[in-house]
Amino acid sequence: MSGALFLGWRYLVFHKLKTIILVASITLMLFLPAATRVLVNDSAAALTSRADLTPLVVGASGSPLELVLSSLYFHAEQPPELLFASFEELRTTGWADVIPMNTRFHSRGSPIVGTSLDYFLFRGLELSQGRMMGMLGECVIGANVAAREDVGVGDSLVSSPETVFDIAGVYPLKMGIAGVLKPNGSADDDAIFVDYKTTWVIQGLGHGHQDLAKPAAASGVLNRKDGMVTANASVVQYAEISAENVAEFHFHGATGDFPINSVIVVPPDEKSAALLRGRYQDNEQGMQMIVPSSVLNDLLDTVFTVQNYVILGLAILSLATIAVISLVFLLSQQLRKGEFHTLSRIGASKAYIATLVASEIGFVFIGSLVLAAGLTLVVRQYALQILQSFLSL
Amino acid sequence: MNYRKFLLPLLMLVLTACGGESSSESAEIGISSTRPLIVASNYPLYFFAREIAGDSAEVVFPEMEGDPANWKPGSEDIALLQSADLVILNGAGYESWLNWVSLPSGILLDTSVGMGDRLIPMEEEVVHQHGPQGEHSHQGVAFTTWLDATLAMVQASAIEQAISGLVPVNREVHQERLAGLKARLAELDEELQAAFRAISNQPLIFSHPVYQYLAARYGLNGTSVHWEPGEDPGVRAWIDFRQTLQRHPAKLMIWEDEPGEQITAQLTQLEMLTVTFHTASNTPADGDYFDVMKVNLENLSLP
């Protein structure tokens, strides 16, 4: 019997091209539906687990999906801006813990997430080195950012200008790295966290310059009259925030009018959640309060429906592939009639010849199955990265 | 982030190594280190919080030089603030450092939130202009709210609610302590009214624009200059001062601290008296908040 298996194996090795084509066809036939299912299921689990841990999100009226993707996964597309006063208003209700989120800016492709220290407690993020940001201009970076940029505590990152030609727009800000987070397998690994006020400095809503009332700035003062000081462009504005000049930084206008993207709301119980949701039910101030898991479930329902159609299509293709492969094997038997006749004449039984043919088919299917399983495992391993690459498109 | 997590095991380790301490002492340390940590941004708030909390919480007022309104917290101060369970703020723009320090919003208590329209906009503002943004100013509201004893009561009530939120089992004790504190503040309010009654409509000069709430509560007719007690204001300031006196003929000038001899002599030449009314914003050299106010009342009775 082992001789039949050996002959079958040698036949496949001798006809390399035919074997490779057969194995590749069957591998793809098995791999594609399996990978689709694994990718969709794992991505859905990853998406919903983060969404399930985020009870409520408040943002300006617009696409709920954009709001969720921006607030939870720091997606590149930005929802309409929300006034910081809305955050303060929510905070003063005392019905929930609230966390501001401003994800508008980037640094070398990594999202800059403007938030408060409450975010780290809420997500259970821990430091692998350094400390949390303590003042304006400091940042804490995710593990992937540290690895990708080869930076750590004491180094710095520079925010990217929104458009190259917008000279008067968003200023690049050099941000000192105060700490690096432990990896936690989420979008936080790829983010740069700063205080939300730092994003206002990046946006140009706040700045630091010499105190115009002090003698050091006298050469830059053009006029002092009736409590108004007019200065020329020589007044030193700081491009980097340091412990020495941080106290000179200030914001122009009421911070309540400054923008953020959204507010993560964490009510202590169902009653508070219901009260808050009722408050935003028919909000006339252009705001919405959403349950991220519901929004994602709606999205995933659509994805699963599409997935079912894709798998149906693949199943039909698989049937066609099986038919073609059966034809290939049948034609192959016809072409090998002389070979089987010779085997019979030198003493091989019909069972022996059947075993030989079955072993060839078996080797092809087993090889394809192993390959398809291996590829599926690879896809499962990188499912989160694949998902994140789609989200950051 | 919370250094106290590491402090307790460290203390226990030291006590174990020393070997002589009784178990009751260890237990005491255990109890004290699990008390909530409260940090106040100025002395009056610290005093109110300490009076209300008693042993319920560890109340801290960071060491700072000069006026706490100009405090620039260092890295150790920021670490202390970040590790606190509650940071009591005066609000009304008093804590300019909040613009650049990162703190969890959940631990911040703004004690001026309940004051609504009783907050007073600053009389003066410095507008400046540079760069493409055009004119802008750093204006705000007056912040020495605690000088109006009735507003101090509002702040004390806010502090009691926050502390009781942290240690709900002691709520009744806190409310009793608050009632006692409010009674003392009410008594202070009456004494201040009586003390200021004699000069309530006379023109006054304040050495600094920090007495807005005092003036509003006790009907004072004052205008402010920007003079430091130990620093000669300079010729220009004296000329402006004389011009001010022509339209606002004050005979009394109220100072945050004892003015220098040279200033006092020049004011005497202008037939002006000086009175020191401490704002008590920083830790007093002697006594507590009410002792400082008692000294203020005594100073007011002298002229």
Side-chain angles (χ1 to χ4, degrees):
Chain A
M1 194 61 74
S2 62
L5 295 178
F6 177 74
L7 282 178
W9 174 252
R10 291 306 305 166
Y11 177 84
L12 291 174
V13 170
F14 185 77
H15 295 93
K16 283 189 184 73
L17 187 62
K18 177 188 162 188
T19 307
I20 289 169
I21 290 170
L22 279 172
V23 168
S25 306
I26 297 169
T27 301
L28 280 176
M29 186 184 81
L30 297 170
F31 166 69
L32 286 177
T36 306
R37 208 165 196 96
V38 162
L39 196 60
V40 170
N41 287 349
D42 284 11
S43 302
L47 279 171
T48 51
S49 68
R50 196 164 166 86
D52 287 342
L53 292 171
T54 313
L56 297 166
V57 172
V58 170
S61 296
S63 160
L65 186 59
E66 281 297 336
L67 185 59
V68 171
L69 294 180
S70 157
S71 307
L72 274 64
Y73 310 101
F74 320 134
H75 187 258
E77 293 299 321
Q78 294 299 309
E81 288 176 344
L82 188 70
L83 293 182
F84 187 68
S86 310
F87 164 78
E88 287 289 358
E89 192 186 330
L90 260 169
R91 193 171 81 84
T92 50
T93 63
W95 290 344
D97 291 333
V98 287
I99 304 166
M101 302 294 289
N102 196 4
T103 57
R104 177 178 160 184
F105 303 104
H106 288 77
S107 170
R108 293 166 63 97
S110 302
I112 296 173
V113 179
T115 185
S116 69
L117 293 179
D118 306 88
Y119 183 83
F120 301 97
L121 293 171
F122 169 63
R123 291 274 183 233
L125 301 176
E126 293 179 359
L127 290 164
S128 64
Q129 54 173 293
R131 56 170 174 78
M132 287 295 171
M133 62 238 186
M135 62 176 206
L136 212 62
E138 286 186 339
C139 66
V140 170
I141 59 174
N144 291 349
V145 177
R148 194 166 54 239
E149 304 292 338
D150 191 23
V151 289
V153 174
D155 296 327
S156 54
L157 292 167
V158 179
S159 66
S160 307
E162 283 192 317
T163 59
V164 177
F165 304 107
D166 186 9
I167 296 167
V170 173
Y171 300 96
L173 181 74
K174 196 174 176 184
M175 301 170 292
I177 299 170
V180 179
L181 295 171
K182 286 181 184 170
N184 81 333
S186 73
D188 299 322
D189 291 344
D190 292 289
I192 299 165
F193 294 95
V194 295
D195 191 287
Y196 58 89
K197 298 185 287 288
T198 301
T199 58
W200 294 339
V201 174
I202 295 172
Q203 198 168 346
L205 297 170
H207 67 189
H209 55 74
Q210 288 173 300
D211 187 345
L212 298 180
K214 288 183 177 171
S219 62
V221 173
L222 293 173
N223 187 26
R224 290 179 200 270
K225 193 178 178 185
D226 299 331
M228 175 167 161
V229 182
T230 305
N232 63 26
S234 71
V235 168
V236 177
Q237 286 206 43
Y238 307 119
E240 182 182 355
I241 304 173
S242 66
E244 288 72 37
N245 67 21
V246 69
E248 307 296 340
F249 274 77
H250 52 269
F251 299 99
H252 296 149
T255 52
D257 296 333
F258 288 2
I260 52 174
N261 282 142
S262 58
V263 182
I264 292 177
V265 182
V266 190
D269 48 45
E270 284 295 322
K271 185 186 168 190
S272 303
L275 282 169
L276 282 165
R277 292 186 70 186
R279 194 184 169 110
Y280 288 87
Q281 195 81 49
D282 297 309
N283 193 284
E284 292 171 358
Q285 297 168 338
M287 292 196 285
Q288 58 177 334
M289 178 175 272
I290 55 163
V291 180
S293 55
S294 301
V295 174
L296 278 182
N297 284 337
D298 290 345
L299 170 72
L300 290 174
D301 284 346
T302 311
V303 171
F304 282 127
T305 307
V306 173
Q307 177 204 238
N308 289 338
Y309 283 119
V310 169
I311 289 177
L312 181 68
L314 289 172
I316 294 166
L317 272 176
S318 300
L319 285 175
T321 309
I322 289 167
V324 170
I325 288 167
S326 304
L327 190 65
V328 167
F329 278 115
L330 285 173
L331 286 173
S332 173
Q333 305 314 307
Q334 291 295 322
L335 288 171
R336 293 169 67 190
K337 262 190 174 174
E339 180 189 335
F340 295 149
H341 186 65
T342 307
L343 281 172
S344 179
R345 290 188 66 178
I346 61 174
S349 64
K350 281 189 176 177
Y352 186 94
I353 293 169
T355 306
L356 170 66
V357 172
S359 72
E360 290 169 12
I361 296 170
F363 281 137
V364 167
F365 270 93
I366 289 168
S368 303
L369 201 64
V370 169
L371 260 178
L375 287 171
T376 308
L377 282 175
V378 170
V379 167
R380 165 157 277 176
Q381 188 71 29
Y382 293 101
L384 281 178
Q385 283 93 322
I386 294 167
L387 172 70
Q388 281 175 11
S389 69
F390 278 120
L391 283 175
S392 61
L393 279 176
Chain B
M1 204 166 74
N2 192 337
Y3 67 85
R4 289 177 303 139
K5 280 180 184 170
F6 304 102
L7 194 62
L8 177 61
L10 191 66
L11 281 172
M12 298 300 276
L13 192 69
V14 170
L15 290 178
T16 312
C18 292
E21 279 72 14
S22 68
S23 59
S24 63
E25 279 179 15
S26 304
E28 272 178 27
I29 286 169
I31 290 165
S32 66
S33 61
T34 53
R35 289 189 308 169
L37 174 65
I38 298 173
V39 181
S41 69
N42 69 19
Y43 176 73
L45 297 174
Y46 162 75
F47 177 76
F48 299 156
R50 203 188 58 187
E51 287 293 299
I52 293 164
D55 293 331
S56 295
E58 186 183 348
V59 186
V60 175
F61 175 46
E63 200 173 313
M64 48 184 89
E65 279 183 28
D67 190 345
N70 301 324
W71 187 42
K72 293 177 183 174
S75 55
E76 285 181 13
D77 300 315
I78 292 172
L80 174 72
L81 289 163
Q82 288 185 341
S83 67
D85 298 289
L86 180 68
V87 177
I88 302 175
L89 306 171
N90 187 73
Y94 184 75
E95 291 85 6
S96 58
W97 47 267
L98 271 181
N99 276 338
W100 50 271
V101 172
S102 297
L103 292 177
S105 54
I107 64 169
L108 302 179
L109 170 69
D110 183 343
T111 57
S112 66
V113 162
M115 294 177 190
D117 57 3
R118 293 181 71 184
L119 292 174
I120 301 170
M122 293 282 267
E123 280 178 7
E124 297 176 18
E125 60 173 316
V126 175
V127 181
H128 63 260
Q129 177 178 327
H130 58 90
Q133 289 109 343
E135 280 183 19
H136 53 265
S137 68
H138 305 159
Q139 197 199 7
V141 290
F143 48 66
T144 47
T145 48
W146 64 91
L147 292 181
D148 175 345
T150 58
L151 291 180
M153 287 186 217
V154 174
Q155 293 184 287
S157 296
I159 291 169
E160 186 278 319
Q161 282 185 15
I163 294 176
S164 293
L166 281 179
V167 195
V169 287
N170 291 349
R171 187 180 296 274
E172 284 184 16
V173 179
H174 300 151
Q175 285 174 345
E176 276 175 29
R177 286 171 162 270
L178 173 67
L181 178 63
K182 278 186 166 180
R184 292 182 74 187
L185 285 169
E187 193 182 332
L188 172 68
D189 185 47
E190 283 177 17
E191 288 172 345
L192 285 171
Q193 284 196 39
F196 282 119
R197 198 164 290 136
I199 55 167
S200 61
N201 286 316
Q202 291 178 22
L204 302 171
I205 304 263
F206 300 125
S207 69
H208 244 93
V210 290
Y211 295 105
Q212 297 90 339
Y213 294 99
L214 193 78
R217 172 65 186 165
Y218 304 108
L220 307 181
N221 175 21
T223 188
S224 299
V225 291
H226 286 264
W227 288 10
E228 298 298 331
E231 201 177 294
D232 185 71
V235 177
R236 177 76 214 179
W238 279 110
I239 293 169
D240 290 344
F241 188 76
R242 284 169 197 273
Q243 287 175 350
T244 303
L245 285 179
Q246 282 176 2
R247 63 172 189 275
H248 188 79
K251 293 292 173 194
L252 187 66
M253 186 165 180
I254 295 181
W255 288 80
E256 290 173 271
D257 215 337
E258 198 72 38
E261 284 179 13
Q262 202 181 345
I263 297 173
T264 311
Q266 291 219 46
L267 288 172
T268 308
Q269 281 180 8
L270 294 169
E271 298 177 352
M272 287 192 73
L273 295 169
T274 60
V275 166
T276 303
F277 193 98
H278 300 281
T279 59
S281 60
N282 209 334
T283 311
D286 296 307
D288 61 21
Y289 175 80
F290 286 109
D291 292 326
V292 175
M293 290 300 153
K294 193 177 171 188
V295 171
N296 286 338
L297 286 165
E298 285 167 4
N299 291 343
L300 285 169
S301 66
L302 292 178

